[in-house]
Amino acid sequence: MKFTPARPSIHGETLESLAARFAAAGEPAYRARQVLGWIYHRRAASWDEMTNLPKALRGWLAEHFDLDASALVLNRQSEDVTDKLLLELRDRSLIETVIIRAPQDGVGLDHSRKTICISTQVGCAMGCVFCASGLAGLKRDLSAGEIVHQLMQVCRREDARTPRARAELASFDNVVVMGMGEPLHNYDNLLRALTIVNAEWGLGFGARRITISTSGLAPKIRRLAHEPIGFRLAVSLHGATNEVRDRIMPVNKRWPLEELLPAVKAFAAAHGRMVTLEFILIESVNDGLEQAARLAEIAADVHAHVNLIPYNTVAGLPWRRPALARQQKFARQLEERGVSVTLRREKGHDIDAACGQLRLRTEKEREKAAPA
Ligand code: SF4
């Protein structure tokens, strides 16, 4: 389903596209840079704040563009260091954006390193059997503006907590495109959004600090390898053989490992840096030592770091997290084979941390509350 808002989000405009809109309206092109400066550099929250623009032009902007593609409806803070933002879009769809804080010695949580996990679709079409986001299928793609606006919500929130002391524009340190949706399934909007985030007239955020995570759309990985901006790549492997991946990730039937892994290698070769293999450990599904051995071979072959993620239980789904000892044994098997590996510490387990859970629960509550 496609959603066409009454006014497009200003956060989906590039310098060029906005200058073209101004030119068509008889305004000088330099106004585009002024407007984007107000939005990204000065964090204007209303058109009226843009005081060096003529009043009539501010009125024209308000008539033609949306300054708030999303509204914050819920902020769930976990006992550890994860902050989950539930955002409502103009069509009342819900998406999740997560702030993951990495505490550092000697500084408070407000000054910790922040990784932001953003969504690219409402729901997801990929149908991974362990995932809450894919349970109800794909509702729609997010627009470029809706993707960028998630980061502006974070900036707004973080600026209020800690006034920006550093010279950089973004109030965070890393972005992972790993939330709801398959990012490469919404390729054009994603690339436009990340171009805006990266541009000096946008958030000026370095491409090397942006990681795009895919469930394995091999042709799109090859396309991404040739983009002029060098983003990082993470692949959600979750199974080291076709047998296991077929069982839990339908995408593997379309692009099995024989097609996926050469595409990942091509990406790594084009960018000359390590990719990441994400591997959610699920009890009795992929946590056996034969999977660890095969995963080690794959990681060596594609020159990848492995990120092991203990499964977060999803209400209504039968999958379980392996015991800690088993997780550690799996990680050790990789280390002993010379693989660079991280066993992720739990984050956000107490706030419906698994991707899509908070949204799912809120939608169910809404359905219950709606008149029959
Ligand atoms: S794990 Fe990712 S790709 Fe798979 S269904 Fe969930 S959101 Fe989609």
Short mmCIF file of all heavy atoms in Angstrom, two decimals, residues 176-240:
data_model
loop_
_atom_site.label_atom_id
_atom_site.label_comp_id
_atom_site.label_asym_id
_atom_site.label_seq_id
_atom_site.Cartn_x
_atom_site.Cartn_y
_atom_site.Cartn_z
N VAL A 176 22.56 2.60 12.66
CA VAL A 176 22.41 1.28 12.06
C VAL A 176 21.00 1.19 11.46
O VAL A 176 20.02 1.51 12.12
CB VAL A 176 22.66 0.13 13.07
CG1 VAL A 176 24.13 0.05 13.45
CG2 VAL A 176 21.81 0.24 14.31
N VAL A 177 20.95 0.81 10.19
CA VAL A 177 19.64 0.68 9.53
C VAL A 177 19.24 -0.77 9.72
O VAL A 177 19.48 -1.63 8.88
CB VAL A 177 19.73 1.07 8.04
CG1 VAL A 177 18.33 1.15 7.45
CG2 VAL A 177 20.47 2.38 7.87
N MET A 178 18.65 -1.04 10.87
CA MET A 178 18.47 -2.41 11.34
C MET A 178 17.13 -2.56 12.04
O MET A 178 16.87 -3.58 12.68
CB MET A 178 19.60 -2.69 12.34
CG MET A 178 20.19 -4.06 12.28
SD MET A 178 21.61 -4.17 13.39
CE MET A 178 22.97 -3.90 12.29
N GLY A 179 16.29 -1.52 11.99
CA GLY A 179 15.00 -1.58 12.67
C GLY A 179 13.99 -2.32 11.81
O GLY A 179 14.33 -3.25 11.07
N MET A 180 12.73 -1.87 11.91
CA MET A 180 11.68 -2.57 11.18
C MET A 180 11.87 -2.42 9.66
O MET A 180 12.14 -1.33 9.16
CB MET A 180 10.33 -1.97 11.60
CG MET A 180 9.17 -2.71 11.00
SD MET A 180 7.59 -2.30 11.76
CE MET A 180 7.81 -0.71 12.45
N GLY A 181 11.69 -3.54 8.95
CA GLY A 181 11.76 -3.50 7.49
C GLY A 181 13.07 -4.04 6.95
O GLY A 181 14.05 -4.16 7.67
N GLU A 182 13.05 -4.37 5.66
CA GLU A 182 14.27 -4.77 4.96
C GLU A 182 14.74 -3.53 4.18
O GLU A 182 14.11 -3.12 3.20
CB GLU A 182 13.94 -5.95 4.02
CG GLU A 182 14.94 -6.21 2.90
CD GLU A 182 16.40 -6.38 3.37
OE1 GLU A 182 16.67 -7.32 4.11
OE2 GLU A 182 17.25 -5.55 2.96
N PRO A 183 15.83 -2.90 4.62
CA PRO A 183 16.25 -1.62 4.02
C PRO A 183 16.42 -1.68 2.50
O PRO A 183 16.02 -0.76 1.79
CB PRO A 183 17.59 -1.33 4.69
CG PRO A 183 17.62 -2.15 5.92
CD PRO A 183 16.73 -3.33 5.70
N LEU A 184 16.99 -2.77 2.01
CA LEU A 184 17.27 -2.83 0.56
C LEU A 184 16.01 -3.12 -0.25
O LEU A 184 16.03 -3.05 -1.48
CB LEU A 184 18.37 -3.86 0.27
CG LEU A 184 19.71 -3.59 0.94
CD1 LEU A 184 20.77 -4.58 0.47
CD2 LEU A 184 20.19 -2.16 0.71
N HIS A 185 14.91 -3.41 0.44
CA HIS A 185 13.61 -3.57 -0.22
C HIS A 185 13.00 -2.19 -0.50
O HIS A 185 12.02 -2.07 -1.24
CB HIS A 185 12.70 -4.40 0.69
CG HIS A 185 11.55 -5.05 0.00
ND1 HIS A 185 10.42 -5.44 0.66
CD2 HIS A 185 11.35 -5.40 -1.29
CE1 HIS A 185 9.58 -5.98 -0.19
NE2 HIS A 185 10.12 -5.96 -1.38
N ASN A 186 13.54 -1.18 0.16
CA ASN A 186 13.08 0.21 -0.03
C ASN A 186 14.30 1.04 -0.44
O ASN A 186 14.62 2.07 0.13
CB ASN A 186 12.48 0.72 1.30
CG ASN A 186 11.84 2.09 1.17
OD1 ASN A 186 11.61 2.59 0.07
ND2 ASN A 186 11.59 2.72 2.31
N TYR A 187 14.97 0.54 -1.47
CA TYR A 187 16.33 0.99 -1.82
C TYR A 187 16.39 2.49 -2.13
O TYR A 187 17.23 3.22 -1.58
CB TYR A 187 16.82 0.18 -3.03
CG TYR A 187 18.29 0.32 -3.31
CD1 TYR A 187 19.20 -0.62 -2.84
CD2 TYR A 187 18.78 1.39 -4.06
CE1 TYR A 187 20.56 -0.50 -3.09
CE2 TYR A 187 20.13 1.53 -4.31
CZ TYR A 187 21.02 0.59 -3.83
OH TYR A 187 22.36 0.72 -4.07
N ASP A 188 15.54 2.96 -3.02
CA ASP A 188 15.68 4.35 -3.49
C ASP A 188 15.42 5.36 -2.36
O ASP A 188 16.15 6.34 -2.22
CB ASP A 188 14.73 4.61 -4.67
CG ASP A 188 15.17 3.82 -5.90
OD1 ASP A 188 16.35 3.41 -5.96
OD2 ASP A 188 14.32 3.58 -6.79
N ASN A 189 14.37 5.10 -1.58
CA ASN A 189 14.08 6.02 -0.46
C ASN A 189 15.20 5.98 0.59
O ASN A 189 15.56 7.00 1.16
CB ASN A 189 12.74 5.67 0.20
CG ASN A 189 11.57 6.05 -0.69
OD1 ASN A 189 11.72 6.82 -1.64
ND2 ASN A 189 10.41 5.48 -0.42
N LEU A 190 15.73 4.78 0.82
CA LEU A 190 16.82 4.64 1.80
C LEU A 190 18.04 5.44 1.34
O LEU A 190 18.62 6.21 2.11
CB LEU A 190 17.20 3.16 1.95
CG LEU A 190 18.47 2.93 2.78
CD1 LEU A 190 18.20 3.19 4.25
CD2 LEU A 190 19.01 1.52 2.58
N LEU A 191 18.41 5.26 0.07
CA LEU A 191 19.62 5.95 -0.42
C LEU A 191 19.44 7.46 -0.41
O LEU A 191 20.36 8.20 -0.08
CB LEU A 191 19.99 5.44 -1.83
CG LEU A 191 21.07 4.35 -1.87
CD1 LEU A 191 22.45 4.94 -1.61
CD2 LEU A 191 20.83 3.23 -0.84
N ARG A 192 18.25 7.90 -0.76
CA ARG A 192 17.99 9.36 -0.72
C ARG A 192 18.10 9.87 0.72
O ARG A 192 18.73 10.89 0.98
CB ARG A 192 16.60 9.65 -1.30
CG ARG A 192 16.29 11.14 -1.44
CD ARG A 192 14.91 11.34 -2.04
NE ARG A 192 14.54 12.74 -2.12
CZ ARG A 192 14.64 13.49 -3.20
NH1 ARG A 192 15.14 12.99 -4.31
NH2 ARG A 192 14.26 14.76 -3.21
N ALA A 193 17.51 9.13 1.65
CA ALA A 193 17.55 9.54 3.07
C ALA A 193 18.99 9.60 3.56
O ALA A 193 19.40 10.58 4.19
CB ALA A 193 16.73 8.58 3.91
N LEU A 194 19.77 8.58 3.27
CA LEU A 194 21.14 8.54 3.79
C LEU A 194 22.03 9.58 3.10
O LEU A 194 22.98 10.07 3.70
CB LEU A 194 21.73 7.13 3.65
CG LEU A 194 21.02 6.06 4.51
CD1 LEU A 194 21.73 4.71 4.38
CD2 LEU A 194 20.90 6.47 5.97
N THR A 195 21.70 9.92 1.88
CA THR A 195 22.42 10.99 1.19
C THR A 195 22.18 12.31 1.93
O THR A 195 23.10 13.11 2.14
CB THR A 195 21.95 11.10 -0.28
OG1 THR A 195 22.22 9.85 -0.91
CG2 THR A 195 22.65 12.22 -1.03
N ILE A 196 20.95 12.53 2.37
CA ILE A 196 20.59 13.76 3.12
C ILE A 196 21.32 13.76 4.48
O ILE A 196 21.86 14.77 4.91
CB ILE A 196 19.05 13.84 3.29
CG1 ILE A 196 18.39 14.06 1.92
CG2 ILE A 196 18.66 14.93 4.29
CD1 ILE A 196 16.88 13.84 1.90
N VAL A 197 21.33 12.61 5.13
CA VAL A 197 22.00 12.50 6.44
C VAL A 197 23.50 12.77 6.30
O VAL A 197 24.12 13.41 7.14
CB VAL A 197 21.73 11.10 7.05
CG1 VAL A 197 22.57 10.87 8.31
CG2 VAL A 197 20.24 10.93 7.38
N ASN A 198 24.06 12.32 5.19
CA ASN A 198 25.51 12.43 4.96
C ASN A 198 25.95 13.81 4.45
O ASN A 198 27.06 14.26 4.74
CB ASN A 198 25.90 11.33 3.96
CG ASN A 198 27.35 11.38 3.54
OD1 ASN A 198 27.65 11.69 2.40
ND2 ASN A 198 28.25 11.11 4.46
N ALA A 199 25.08 14.51 3.74
CA ALA A 199 25.48 15.75 3.04
C ALA A 199 25.87 16.88 4.00
O ALA A 199 25.32 16.97 5.10
CB ALA A 199 24.32 16.22 2.16
N GLU A 200 26.77 17.75 3.55
CA GLU A 200 27.19 18.87 4.42
C GLU A 200 26.03 19.85 4.66
O GLU A 200 25.98 20.49 5.68
CB GLU A 200 28.44 19.59 3.90
CG GLU A 200 28.48 19.99 2.43
CD GLU A 200 27.68 21.22 2.03
OE1 GLU A 200 27.48 22.12 2.85
OE2 GLU A 200 27.25 21.28 0.85
N TRP A 201 25.07 19.93 3.73
CA TRP A 201 23.91 20.80 3.94
C TRP A 201 22.83 20.06 4.75
O TRP A 201 21.79 20.65 5.07
CB TRP A 201 23.34 21.30 2.61
CG TRP A 201 23.25 20.22 1.55
CD1 TRP A 201 24.11 20.02 0.52
CD2 TRP A 201 22.26 19.18 1.45
NE1 TRP A 201 23.73 18.91 -0.22
CE2 TRP A 201 22.59 18.39 0.33
CE3 TRP A 201 21.13 18.84 2.19
CZ2 TRP A 201 21.84 17.28 -0.07
CZ3 TRP A 201 20.37 17.73 1.79
CH2 TRP A 201 20.74 16.97 0.68
N GLY A 202 23.05 18.76 5.05
CA GLY A 202 22.11 17.98 5.86
C GLY A 202 22.70 17.82 7.26
O GLY A 202 23.16 18.80 7.86
N LEU A 203 22.75 16.57 7.73
CA LEU A 203 23.31 16.34 9.07
C LEU A 203 24.82 16.18 9.06
O LEU A 203 25.44 16.08 10.12
CB LEU A 203 22.67 15.10 9.70
CG LEU A 203 21.36 15.35 10.45
CD1 LEU A 203 20.77 14.03 10.97
CD2 LEU A 203 21.56 16.31 11.63
N GLY A 204 25.42 16.13 7.87
CA GLY A 204 26.89 16.06 7.77
C GLY A 204 27.47 14.85 8.49
O GLY A 204 28.56 14.91 9.05
N PHE A 205 26.75 13.75 8.43
CA PHE A 205 27.13 12.57 9.22
C PHE A 205 27.90 11.58 8.34
O PHE A 205 27.44 11.19 7.27
CB PHE A 205 25.85 11.92 9.77
CG PHE A 205 26.09 10.89 10.83
CD1 PHE A 205 26.49 11.28 12.10
CD2 PHE A 205 25.94 9.55 10.55
CE1 PHE A 205 26.72 10.33 13.09
CE2 PHE A 205 26.17 8.60 11.53
CZ PHE A 205 26.56 8.99 12.81
N GLY A 206 29.10 11.16 8.81
CA GLY A 206 30.00 10.34 8.00
C GLY A 206 29.42 8.99 7.59
O GLY A 206 28.83 8.28 8.41
N ALA A 207 29.59 8.63 6.31
CA ALA A 207 29.05 7.37 5.78
C ALA A 207 29.64 6.16 6.50
O ALA A 207 28.98 5.14 6.65
CB ALA A 207 29.33 7.28 4.29
N ARG A 208 30.88 6.27 6.94
CA ARG A 208 31.52 5.14 7.63
C ARG A 208 30.90 4.86 8.98
O ARG A 208 31.20 3.84 9.60
CB ARG A 208 33.01 5.42 7.83
CG ARG A 208 33.81 5.20 6.58
CD ARG A 208 35.18 5.84 6.66
NE ARG A 208 35.87 5.61 5.41
CZ ARG A 208 36.86 4.72 5.26
NH1 ARG A 208 37.26 4.02 6.27
NH2 ARG A 208 37.43 4.57 4.08
N ARG A 209 30.07 5.76 9.46
CA ARG A 209 29.39 5.51 10.74
C ARG A 209 27.93 5.10 10.53
O ARG A 209 27.14 5.09 11.45
CB ARG A 209 29.51 6.76 11.61
CG ARG A 209 30.96 7.00 12.04
CD ARG A 209 31.07 8.02 13.12
NE ARG A 209 30.94 9.37 12.59
CZ ARG A 209 30.44 10.39 13.28
NH1 ARG A 209 30.01 10.21 14.51
NH2 ARG A 209 30.37 11.58 12.75
N ILE A 210 27.62 4.78 9.25
CA ILE A 210 26.25 4.32 8.94
C ILE A 210 26.33 2.88 8.42
O ILE A 210 27.03 2.61 7.44
CB ILE A 210 25.62 5.22 7.86
CG1 ILE A 210 25.54 6.67 8.34
CG2 ILE A 210 24.23 4.70 7.47
CD1 ILE A 210 25.03 7.67 7.29
N THR A 211 25.63 1.97 9.09
CA THR A 211 25.63 0.56 8.67
C THR A 211 24.26 0.17 8.16
O THR A 211 23.25 0.36 8.86
CB THR A 211 26.01 -0.36 9.85
OG1 THR A 211 27.29 0.04 10.34
CG2 THR A 211 26.06 -1.81 9.42
N ILE A 212 24.23 -0.37 6.94
CA ILE A 212 22.97 -0.86 6.38
C ILE A 212 22.94 -2.37 6.58
O ILE A 212 23.89 -3.07 6.20
CB ILE A 212 22.88 -0.53 4.88
CG1 ILE A 212 22.93 0.98 4.66
CG2 ILE A 212 21.61 -1.12 4.26
CD1 ILE A 212 23.04 1.41 3.21
N SER A 213 21.85 -2.86 7.16
CA SER A 213 21.77 -4.29 7.45
C SER A 213 20.71 -4.94 6.57
O SER A 213 19.57 -4.46 6.50
CB SER A 213 21.39 -4.46 8.93
OG SER A 213 21.17 -5.80 9.21
N THR A 214 21.06 -6.03 5.91
CA THR A 214 20.11 -6.69 5.02
C THR A 214 19.96 -8.17 5.38
O THR A 214 20.90 -8.79 5.87
CB THR A 214 20.54 -6.56 3.54
OG1 THR A 214 19.62 -7.30 2.73
CG2 THR A 214 21.94 -7.09 3.31
N SER A 215 18.77 -8.70 5.07
CA SER A 215 18.54 -10.13 5.30
C SER A 215 19.14 -10.96 4.17
O SER A 215 19.14 -12.19 4.25
CB SER A 215 17.04 -10.40 5.42
OG SER A 215 16.38 -10.03 4.22
N GLY A 216 19.61 -10.28 3.11
CA GLY A 216 20.31 -11.04 2.07
C GLY A 216 19.78 -10.86 0.66
O GLY A 216 19.70 -11.82 -0.11
N LEU A 217 19.43 -9.61 0.29
CA LEU A 217 18.98 -9.35 -1.09
C LEU A 217 20.21 -9.20 -1.98
O LEU A 217 20.72 -8.09 -2.21
CB LEU A 217 18.11 -8.09 -1.13
CG LEU A 217 16.62 -8.27 -0.82
CD1 LEU A 217 16.38 -8.89 0.52
CD2 LEU A 217 15.87 -6.95 -0.94
N ALA A 218 20.70 -10.32 -2.49
CA ALA A 218 22.00 -10.35 -3.18
C ALA A 218 22.14 -9.30 -4.31
O ALA A 218 23.15 -8.58 -4.35
CB ALA A 218 22.27 -11.75 -3.70
N PRO A 219 21.17 -9.16 -5.22
CA PRO A 219 21.36 -8.18 -6.30
C PRO A 219 21.50 -6.74 -5.77
O PRO A 219 22.24 -5.94 -6.33
CB PRO A 219 20.10 -8.33 -7.15
CG PRO A 219 19.51 -9.65 -6.77
CD PRO A 219 19.90 -9.90 -5.36
N LYS A 220 20.75 -6.44 -4.70
CA LYS A 220 20.81 -5.08 -4.14
C LYS A 220 22.14 -4.85 -3.42
O LYS A 220 22.64 -3.72 -3.37
CB LYS A 220 19.63 -4.84 -3.19
CG LYS A 220 18.26 -4.89 -3.87
CD LYS A 220 17.99 -3.61 -4.63
CE LYS A 220 16.71 -3.62 -5.45
NZ LYS A 220 15.50 -3.85 -4.70
N ILE A 221 22.71 -5.89 -2.86
CA ILE A 221 24.03 -5.75 -2.22
C ILE A 221 25.05 -5.39 -3.30
O ILE A 221 25.90 -4.52 -3.11
CB ILE A 221 24.44 -7.06 -1.51
CG1 ILE A 221 23.52 -7.32 -0.31
CG2 ILE A 221 25.90 -7.02 -1.06
CD1 ILE A 221 23.73 -8.67 0.38
N ARG A 222 24.95 -6.04 -4.45
CA ARG A 222 25.87 -5.73 -5.57
C ARG A 222 25.67 -4.28 -6.03
O ARG A 222 26.62 -3.58 -6.35
CB ARG A 222 25.65 -6.69 -6.73
CG ARG A 222 26.13 -8.10 -6.41
CD ARG A 222 26.01 -9.02 -7.63
NE ARG A 222 26.39 -10.37 -7.31
CZ ARG A 222 27.64 -10.84 -7.29
NH1 ARG A 222 28.64 -10.02 -7.60
NH2 ARG A 222 27.91 -12.09 -6.98
N ARG A 223 24.40 -3.86 -6.06
CA ARG A 223 24.12 -2.46 -6.48
C ARG A 223 24.72 -1.48 -5.46
O ARG A 223 25.34 -0.48 -5.84
CB ARG A 223 22.60 -2.28 -6.60
CG ARG A 223 22.20 -0.95 -7.18
CD ARG A 223 20.70 -0.93 -7.45
NE ARG A 223 20.23 0.44 -7.53
CZ ARG A 223 18.95 0.80 -7.45
NH1 ARG A 223 18.02 -0.12 -7.30
NH2 ARG A 223 18.61 2.06 -7.53
N LEU A 224 24.54 -1.80 -4.18
CA LEU A 224 25.04 -0.92 -3.12
C LEU A 224 26.57 -0.79 -3.19
O LEU A 224 27.13 0.27 -2.89
CB LEU A 224 24.63 -1.51 -1.76
CG LEU A 224 24.82 -0.63 -0.52
CD1 LEU A 224 23.95 0.62 -0.59
CD2 LEU A 224 24.49 -1.42 0.75
N ALA A 225 27.22 -1.86 -3.62
CA ALA A 225 28.69 -1.86 -3.72
C ALA A 225 29.17 -0.76 -4.67
O ALA A 225 30.30 -0.28 -4.55
CB ALA A 225 29.19 -3.22 -4.18
N HIS A 226 28.31 -0.36 -5.62
CA HIS A 226 28.74 0.62 -6.63
C HIS A 226 28.24 2.02 -6.37
O HIS A 226 28.43 2.91 -7.20
CB HIS A 226 28.32 0.12 -8.02
CG HIS A 226 29.04 -1.15 -8.41
ND1 HIS A 226 28.42 -2.37 -8.43
CD2 HIS A 226 30.34 -1.36 -8.69
CE1 HIS A 226 29.31 -3.30 -8.73
NE2 HIS A 226 30.48 -2.72 -8.90
N GLU A 227 27.60 2.23 -5.23
CA GLU A 227 27.15 3.59 -4.90
C GLU A 227 28.35 4.48 -4.59
O GLU A 227 29.34 4.00 -4.01
CB GLU A 227 26.21 3.56 -3.68
CG GLU A 227 24.88 2.87 -3.91
CD GLU A 227 23.95 3.62 -4.85
OE1 GLU A 227 24.21 4.82 -5.11
OE2 GLU A 227 22.98 3.01 -5.32
N PRO A 228 28.28 5.75 -4.91
CA PRO A 228 29.43 6.63 -4.65
C PRO A 228 29.70 6.86 -3.17
O PRO A 228 30.84 7.13 -2.78
CB PRO A 228 29.05 7.95 -5.34
CG PRO A 228 27.58 7.87 -5.59
CD PRO A 228 27.22 6.43 -5.65
N ILE A 229 28.67 6.76 -2.33
CA ILE A 229 28.90 6.95 -0.89
C ILE A 229 29.13 5.58 -0.26
O ILE A 229 28.33 4.65 -0.45
CB ILE A 229 27.70 7.66 -0.21
CG1 ILE A 229 27.35 8.95 -0.96
CG2 ILE A 229 28.02 7.98 1.25
CD1 ILE A 229 26.16 9.70 -0.38
N GLY A 230 30.21 5.44 0.51
CA GLY A 230 30.60 4.13 1.03
C GLY A 230 30.04 3.81 2.41
O GLY A 230 30.72 3.95 3.42
N PHE A 231 28.79 3.36 2.44
CA PHE A 231 28.21 2.97 3.73
C PHE A 231 28.75 1.60 4.14
O PHE A 231 29.25 0.85 3.31
CB PHE A 231 26.67 2.90 3.62
CG PHE A 231 26.06 4.19 3.18
CD1 PHE A 231 25.51 4.33 1.92
CD2 PHE A 231 26.05 5.28 4.04
CE1 PHE A 231 24.96 5.53 1.50
CE2 PHE A 231 25.50 6.49 3.63
CZ PHE A 231 24.96 6.61 2.36
N ARG A 232 28.62 1.26 5.41
CA ARG A 232 29.01 -0.07 5.87
C ARG A 232 27.87 -1.05 5.65
O ARG A 232 26.70 -0.66 5.58
CB ARG A 232 29.36 -0.03 7.36
CG ARG A 232 30.67 0.67 7.63
CD ARG A 232 31.05 0.57 9.10
NE ARG A 232 32.34 1.20 9.31
CZ ARG A 232 33.51 0.58 9.16
NH1 ARG A 232 33.55 -0.69 8.81
NH2 ARG A 232 34.64 1.22 9.36
N LEU A 233 28.23 -2.34 5.58
CA LEU A 233 27.23 -3.38 5.32
C LEU A 233 27.24 -4.43 6.44
O LEU A 233 28.31 -4.88 6.86
CB LEU A 233 27.54 -4.08 3.98
CG LEU A 233 26.59 -5.23 3.61
CD1 LEU A 233 25.22 -4.70 3.21
CD2 LEU A 233 27.17 -6.06 2.46
N ALA A 234 26.04 -4.79 6.88
CA ALA A 234 25.89 -5.93 7.79
C ALA A 234 24.89 -6.89 7.14
O ALA A 234 23.91 -6.46 6.52
CB ALA A 234 25.36 -5.48 9.15
N VAL A 235 25.17 -8.18 7.24
CA VAL A 235 24.27 -9.17 6.65
C VAL A 235 23.70 -10.03 7.78
O VAL A 235 24.46 -10.57 8.59
CB VAL A 235 25.01 -10.05 5.62
CG1 VAL A 235 24.08 -11.14 5.09
CG2 VAL A 235 25.54 -9.19 4.49
N SER A 236 22.37 -10.11 7.83
CA SER A 236 21.72 -10.95 8.84
C SER A 236 21.77 -12.38 8.33
O SER A 236 20.95 -12.79 7.52
CB SER A 236 20.27 -10.51 9.02
OG SER A 236 20.24 -9.19 9.50
N LEU A 237 22.75 -13.13 8.80
CA LEU A 237 22.94 -14.48 8.30
C LEU A 237 22.04 -15.47 9.05
O LEU A 237 21.24 -16.16 8.45
CB LEU A 237 24.42 -14.87 8.43
CG LEU A 237 24.89 -15.95 7.47
CD1 LEU A 237 24.79 -15.49 6.03
CD2 LEU A 237 26.32 -16.37 7.79
N HIS A 238 22.18 -15.50 10.37
CA HIS A 238 21.32 -16.29 11.26
C HIS A 238 21.30 -17.79 10.97
O HIS A 238 20.53 -18.53 11.59
CB HIS A 238 19.88 -15.76 11.29
CG HIS A 238 19.77 -14.29 11.54
ND1 HIS A 238 20.70 -13.58 12.28
CD2 HIS A 238 18.85 -13.37 11.12
CE1 HIS A 238 20.34 -12.31 12.32
NE2 HIS A 238 19.24 -12.15 11.63
N GLY A 239 22.04 -18.23 10.01
CA GLY A 239 22.16 -19.66 9.72
C GLY A 239 23.38 -19.80 8.82
O GLY A 239 23.57 -18.98 7.92
N ALA A 240 24.21 -20.84 9.08
CA ALA A 240 25.45 -20.96 8.30
C ALA A 240 25.31 -21.97 7.17
O ALA A 240 26.26 -22.20 6.43
CB ALA A 240 26.59 -21.35 9.24
#
